[in-house]
């Protein structure tokens, strides 16, 4: 019985033992009703409590997971967010990728929500030979068409693939 008294009122992490509450049918360990600092009541195996395996009702693990997630996010930000990279024309590199799913209906022309401008792009031999932003869709389409003329003609000559 002394073990019971010993456990009562003890703290294990966030858990404070309230009272003995039954027995684990598997290993005959005493179960203890504990109050977590968050207010939850949980019943925990005494050996798991003493072994330090259980230190909260589960809220601690949830918080740690959240913290890890937040830290990772912060870490990524400090790395220099690649989403904020801009090309020489001042266009967000990320918007180029995003705009590929969000096109205007004209190949190589897309609307960039972030800058409220129209992007015209043409890739030639793995590089952007056209990557400019315009105030209007018409201007962007025109630029794309003009670039197509130049590079697609050139392309026919050296039989390279144009994306
Ligand atoms: Zn808790």
């Amino acid at each position: 019985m002394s073990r019971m008294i010993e456990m009562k009122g003890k703290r294990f992490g966030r858990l404070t033992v309230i009272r003995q509450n039954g027995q684990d049918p598997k290993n005959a360990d005493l179960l203890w009703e504990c109050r977590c600092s968050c207010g939850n009541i949980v019943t925990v195996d005494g050996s798991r409590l003493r072994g330090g395996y259980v230190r909260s009702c589960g809220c601690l693990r949830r918080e740690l997971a959240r913290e890890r997630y937040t830290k990772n996010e912060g870490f990524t930000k400090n790395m220099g967010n690649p989403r904020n990279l801009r090309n020489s024309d001042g266009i967000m590199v990320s918007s180029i990728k995003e705009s590929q799913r969000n096109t205007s209906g004209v190949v190589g022309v897309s609307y960039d929500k972030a800058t409220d401008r129209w992007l015209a792009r043409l890739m030639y031999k793995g590089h952007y030979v056209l990557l400019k932003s315009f105030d209007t869709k018409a201007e962007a389409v025109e630029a794309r068409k003009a670039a197509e003329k130049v590079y697609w003609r050139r392309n026919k000559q050296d039989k390279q693939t144009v994306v």
Side-chain angles (χ1 to χ4, degrees):
M1 290 307 275
S2 63
R3 202 166 115 194
M4 270 204 216
I5 296 155
E6 209 179 288
M7 286 290 282
K8 222 178 264 185
K10 271 205 164 186
R11 283 192 67 119
F12 297 91
R14 291 185 175 184
L15 299 176
T16 305
V17 179
I18 304 166
R19 63 187 180 96
Q20 200 255 312
N21 184 19
Q23 223 168 345
D24 191 320
K26 280 174 283 181
N27 55 15
D29 261 347
L30 294 176
L31 297 177
W32 299 87
E33 195 175 279
C34 306
R35 184 191 300 277
C36 183
S37 61
C38 74
N40 279 344
I41 305 284
V42 283
T43 302
V44 189
D45 184 318
S47 66
R48 289 179 64 77
L49 269 180
R50 285 186 299 270
Y53 298 110
V54 182
R55 302 182 65 80
S56 77
C57 68
C59 61
L60 185 61
R61 190 176 302 168
R62 281 194 298 277
E63 273 170 37
L64 286 175
R66 199 178 310 142
E67 200 179 312
R68 254 198 304 278
Y69 176 72
T70 316
K71 271 183 186 159
N72 281 347
E73 256 193 344
F75 183 64
T76 312
K77 263 178 208 156
N78 294 337
M79 290 274 288
N81 190 344
R83 290 177 56 83
N84 291 333
L85 289 176
R86 285 170 185 274
N87 74 355
S88 55
D89 198 39
I91 299 171
M92 301 272 279
V93 171
S94 61
S95 71
I96 296 161
K97 279 182 196 152
E98 276 162 19
S99 61
Q100 285 171 347
R101 285 178 307 215
N102 178 25
T103 52
S104 60
V106 180
V107 175
V109 175
S110 55
Y111 178 66
D112 178 24
K113 232 182 196 173
T115 56
D116 187 31
R117 284 170 73 81
W118 290 88
L119 302 182
R121 55 194 158 74
L122 179 68
M123 201 174 246
Y124 180 72
K125 293 185 177 183
H127 297 281
Y128 280 110
V129 289
L130 171 67
L131 190 54
K132 277 194 163 175
S133 65
F134 299 90
D135 288 330
T136 65
K137 182 181 170 181
E139 285 174 287
V141 172
E142 205 176 302
R144 164 74 194 203
K145 294 260 148 75
E148 278 177 14
K149 268 183 199 162
V150 175
Y151 288 97
W152 285 11
R153 187 172 300 150
R154 200 180 288 180
N155 186 50
K156 273 179 196 161
Q157 288 159 6
D158 51 39
K159 286 174 184 148
Q160 287 281 333
T161 315
V162 174
V163 180

